[in-house]
Amino acid sequence: MQQLPRLSGADPTRALDALFVNAPLRDYGRRPRTNDYTLPVLGMAYIATYAQRAGFNVGVLDAEAHGLGILETAELVNAARPRWAAMNLLAPTYEMSARIAARIDPDIALMVGGHHAKAMPDRILADPRMANLRALVLGEGELRVAALLEDEQRRRELPGVLWRDRLLGTRATGIPSGRPNPQLLGPDINSLPYVNRAFLPQDPYRAAPTEADRRLALSRGTDPLRTAARTGHLEANIVGSRGCPYNCTFCGAAVSANPDLTIRVRSPENIIGELDQLHDEYGVTAFRFVDDLFLGAGRVIAEQMTAFARHRIGERYVWDATGRINVLDRLGDRDLDRLVQNGLREVALGIESGSDRVLRAMDKRIDAAMTERVAQRLVRHGIGVKGYFILGFPGETHDDIAATVRHIRNLWAIADSSPGEVRASVFEFRPYPGTPVWTTLTDAGHDPEGLLAYGDVDLTDDGADESMRQRDEFNFSVGVQFGDVPLAEVRSTLATLTREQHQRNQSVQGAAA
């Protein structure tokens, strides 16, 4: 195999068994990307790492991270000439994936997985652009992908693997002989190898120093943190668990959308082993837990923090994590102190709305008062809060959106008198197939074709608006008004809040300097 640009993790001296392709959110050949960083494809890298450990030569082509267009992505796949091209299908990127697939050499077998593949398998199998689709893998793919790379005919005995019979034109399904191995569908995550970061072109990455870093360095007095306060941390993303017990109606991870998924949390020792491995190999001193459960269950928090304290994690590293507001609301001040002592820097919270009526429709199991109470306690302990918000949710009124705007500004005001910061990240509502709200919308008469018509929305003014530039990858929409508020007003409110947050970021960075 020739050395190809933008191919991550493959051995160029051997023939390529599989190339894992992360499609771009839009065709960057038509409008170049403006943001500098995108989230790494950790799920794809887990599968690639497992396949590599099984002896296969595999690589990752992250077209989103590299800002590639459809044509360039397909040309790179064809030039690499893998036996298999594998794609993770998401609703916003499905059109991009299908257009790339249509351009791939027919001698290259196609394999797909991901949330969209799981939610709409028959639609994908029937798509003529997916004519060379030889395996659609439902759910977690590590063990079954490796089995398919070993022998395509094994698909007949693998559970949760679909394909279309070319002769009969019918859907074919793997049928295990005897009792299926449950590990095939949900592997023991403590037995999986640590992700090979060679597959991730943007992880680890260098992050600019923040005011939170400066405060932590002063309070801890440890050399690695003092250095990071001046130069910025080398940071890496990490997964601490799989599955979510909640049923937020808009979320692809909702428990009702994944009845086959067993919730599993990595052991503290397994997680700490990866933290230390990333530090020893790359010099990483900051980590971001991107899964739902790391700060999403009291028992898990207690177990992890006991191990973190034993290994003196807080003296060596800092970390951010997602959290559940209702769970954090039950923690005492000593619990929050313990989180800080163990290195917690920021918690990402799915706040979503300032309207209790909308929160009930989302099945969030929180209210605005709880969010303000939790945020106030966190920032007073010096823990930053990153709040995610949705505008344009089905049935949302002008009063509901006004409540969300007030809510965000109340949270900013709370942070202004506290050592911790509050950052607001606001998104336009987008429906995802397989989620509870998708069923609600289609039952109400919405055409699935319209709900799948994702397109990018340029809120950056061709990159000129600095406040929008770094979130450009998230500005996409199906162009449907789901609530009472016109889309133009939803986007205007989103832009206003984003610009205000950008101004706050600039003032904090100025103070830190």
Side-chain angles (χ1 to χ4, degrees):
M1 184 188 75
Q2 61 176 312
Q3 182 73 53
L4 293 171
R6 302 190 173 98
L7 223 75
S8 301
D11 179 354
T13 67
R14 297 168 54 199
L16 196 59
D17 293 299
L19 181 58
F20 296 89
V21 182
N22 183 45
L25 274 166
R26 67 166 188 266
D27 188 349
Y28 294 114
R30 302 180 64 182
R31 178 166 74 85
R33 65 177 307 138
T34 64
N35 53 312
D36 302 322
Y37 174 78
T38 63
L39 291 174
V41 284
L42 282 170
M44 183 174 277
Y46 259 111
I47 296 172
T49 301
Y50 189 89
Q52 186 183 63
R53 288 290 186 93
F56 299 104
N57 184 28
V58 299
V60 170
L61 175 58
D62 191 343
E64 174 61 26
H66 293 300
L68 304 180
I70 291 171
L71 181 60
E72 187 176 5
T73 302
E75 287 176 345
L76 284 169
V77 175
N78 290 334
R81 302 197 61 78
R83 287 195 294 120
W84 288 87
M87 307 180 87
N88 61 324
L89 303 183
L90 305 173
T93 60
Y94 179 72
E95 260 314 291
M96 303 296 104
S97 298
R99 292 178 191 176
I100 293 166
R103 292 176 176 271
I104 292 177
D105 191 309
D107 291 336
I108 299 172
L110 181 62
M111 179 191 311
V112 301
H115 280 297
H116 196 64
K118 187 175 184 180
M120 309 193 90
D122 289 320
R123 176 189 176 94
I124 293 160
L125 288 168
D127 190 332
R129 297 170 296 181
M130 294 283 180
N132 207 35
L133 178 54
R134 308 255 275 273
L136 185 152
V137 181
L138 303 175
E140 299 174 42
E142 284 89 351
L143 277 67
R144 287 172 294 161
V145 168
L148 288 165
L149 296 184
E150 180 183 349
D151 180 3
E152 181 182 339
Q153 295 308 310
R154 290 196 61 187
R155 66 185 181 175
R156 301 181 183 280
E157 62 189 48
L158 295 172
V161 175
L162 311 177
W163 66 96
R164 185 159 293 280
D165 188 297
R166 293 187 178 187
L167 293 177
L168 300 177
T170 57
R171 183 174 81 162
T173 306
I175 302 174
S177 57
R179 216 169 180 185
N181 177 4
Q183 289 289 313
L184 289 171
L185 297 174
D188 174 7
I189 56 176
N190 286 310
S191 68
L192 294 175
Y194 297 150
V195 169
N196 180 356
R197 302 285 158 159
F199 292 121
L200 301 173
Q202 290 187 308
D203 194 273
Y205 62 99
R206 175 70 63 183
T210 66
E211 174 63 12
D213 290 328
R214 187 186 68 82
R215 287 196 304 269
L216 280 168
L218 290 173
S219 65
R220 309 286 171 77
T222 55
D223 288 340
L225 299 185
R226 285 183 179 275
T227 300
R230 295 190 302 271
T231 64
H233 286 279
L234 195 64
E235 305 201 0
N237 290 267
I238 188 170
V239 174
S241 66
R242 293 187 182 183
C244 179
Y246 293 95
N247 204 44
C248 301
T249 60
F250 55 85
C251 183
V255 66
S256 65
N258 301 278
D260 58 319
L261 185 60
T262 303
I263 296 170
R264 285 146 295 151
V265 180
R266 291 172 62 186
S267 72
E269 299 298 328
N270 185 261
I271 289 173
I272 292 167
E274 186 169 17
L275 304 186
D276 288 341
Q277 182 259 337
L278 285 166
H279 176 261
D280 293 344
E281 187 169 346
Y282 297 99
V284 175
T285 56
F287 303 90
R288 181 185 182 190
F289 289 90
V290 295
D291 51 291
D292 297 297
L293 274 186
F294 197 73
L295 296 179
R299 175 190 59 80
V300 174
I301 294 171
E303 183 181 14
Q304 300 288 1
M305 291 309 99
T306 296
F308 274 36
R310 186 168 61 251
H311 288 268
R312 300 168 64 188
I313 294 299
E315 296 177 25
R316 300 186 285 139
Y317 311 136
V318 294
W319 49 275
D320 307 330
T322 51
R324 288 289 310 191
I325 293 167
N326 55 331
V327 172
L328 295 173
D329 190 45
R330 295 193 289 268
L331 297 185
D333 286 339
R334 290 182 64 184
D335 298 316
L336 297 182
D337 286 337
R338 195 180 190 199
L339 287 168
V340 173
Q341 291 160 6
N342 281 310
L344 177 59
R345 181 175 57 175
E346 182 180 73
V347 180
L349 302 175
I351 301 172
E352 316 306 358
S353 178
S355 164
D356 290 346
R357 190 186 70 83
V358 172
L359 290 169
R360 286 192 295 273
M362 293 176 169
D363 197 13
K364 284 297 298 182
R365 307 186 192 184
I366 61 173
D367 55 36
M370 182 188 293
T371 294
E372 291 191 9
R373 182 168 65 244
V374 167
Q376 185 172 59
R377 294 182 62 222
L378 289 170
V379 296
R380 282 183 176 173
H381 281 79
I383 301 169
V385 171
K386 183 176 184 180
Y388 294 106
F389 297 86
I390 295 173
L391 299 181
F393 193 75
E396 190 173 52
T397 66
H398 285 85
D399 287 344
D400 293 325
I401 284 190
T404 297
V405 173
R406 286 195 304 273
H407 193 40
I408 291 172
R409 289 175 176 158
N410 287 346
L411 294 172
W412 283 336
I414 288 170
D416 286 341
S417 59
S418 302
E421 288 295 322
V422 170
R423 297 190 294 146
S425 191
V426 190
F427 300 88
E428 179 183 328
F429 169 74
R430 300 176 290 261
Y432 298 122
T435 60
V437 76
W438 177 273
T439 302
T440 300
L441 291 171
T442 54
D443 286 349
H446 281 275
D447 179 12
E449 294 299 323
L451 299 182
L452 291 170
Y454 289 90
D456 63 284
V457 180
D458 183 13
L459 298 179
T460 72
D461 191 19
D462 285 330
D465 189 337
E466 179 66 22
S467 66
M468 296 292 174
R469 192 172 69 84
Q470 291 298 344
R471 56 157 296 139
D472 187 45
E473 67 174 307
F474 302 113
N475 293 332
F476 52 94
S477 168
V478 297
V480 177
Q481 179 181 326
F482 293 101
D484 294 348
V485 184
L487 279 181
E489 187 174 334
V490 168
R491 291 172 185 165
S492 174
T493 305
L494 184 156
T496 296
L497 292 168
T498 301
R499 291 189 182 102
E500 289 182 26
Q501 181 61 69
H502 181 72
Q503 291 168 1
R504 291 178 63 84
N505 294 346
Q506 295 299 104
S507 65
V508 168
Q509 289 170 10

